[in-house]
Amino acid sequence: MWRRQTTLLALPLALAACGTAGPAPVPPDSAPVPSDSPLAYATPSPVRPDCGVWTLAQGRRLPAEAADCFDDALRDGQEVRMRVTAPSLEGDPITNDYVVRGDGRVEVTVDARRDRYGSGRVERMVCSGPVTYAPAPAFTTCSTPTPV
């Protein structure tokens, strides 16, 4: 189960362009998720600016601007937030919320409640280390997930 969540963590990250004025651009292979959609769990404290909210189709990658926003925040010690919903291998939606902290840590909340073959839980972990984007961000180190 942990191996699957780690893989899914890699599927969803690299988001949209940073910016505080207006919504992030949406590439043709993604669709935005309404920012006012209610969450049934508490996300880490909100921070700004936002790197974006994205819904990806099966096999699609996050845009380069999203990865740049995330990388810039990590490099500059800037706090940002991003949300990515991507399908599991079977096509069920999994939502990951990422909060980059000024000290280089990234808080990741994984909502797998709609994944029929996954954990069915909401869990949070803290990740660090270099981020790779193939096809989306993956971290070298993450804590053991804890239920939210």
Side-chain angles (χ1 to χ4, degrees):
M1 184 181 307
W2 169 246
R3 182 181 304 268
R4 185 160 195 264
Q5 289 176 344
T6 302
T7 301
L8 292 174
L9 207 174
L11 283 175
L13 174 54
L15 260 37
C18 286
T20 56
V26 177
D29 58 5
S30 318
V33 173
S35 60
D36 61 344
S37 61
L39 295 177
Y41 59 90
T43 59
S45 60
V47 293
R48 292 286 183 255
D50 239 341
C51 281
V53 176
W54 297 87
T55 298
L56 303 178
Q58 191 71 272
R60 296 300 185 169
R61 299 177 125 185
L62 290 162
E65 302 86 38
D68 291 344
C69 174
F70 197 77
D71 287 341
D72 290 348
L74 282 170
R75 182 191 65 240
D76 299 340
Q78 180 183 18
E79 294 194 351
V80 296
R81 182 176 178 164
M82 155 174 93
R83 173 174 288 169
V84 179
T85 300
S88 67
L89 294 174
E90 300 83 15
D92 295 329
I94 298 172
T95 299
N96 288 342
D97 285 317
Y98 302 90
V99 178
V100 175
R101 297 298 178 187
D103 62 3
R105 293 177 304 123
V106 180
E107 295 176 22
V108 182
T109 303
V110 180
D111 183 349
R113 291 177 293 176
R114 296 181 290 168
D115 183 4
R116 293 171 289 178
Y117 302 103
S119 70
R121 297 183 297 216
V122 177
E123 297 175 314
R124 186 170 294 141
M125 64 193 97
V126 177
C127 300
S128 62
V131 178
T132 59
Y133 298 92
F139 305 91
T140 57
T141 306
C142 286
S143 65
T144 302
T146 57
V148 174

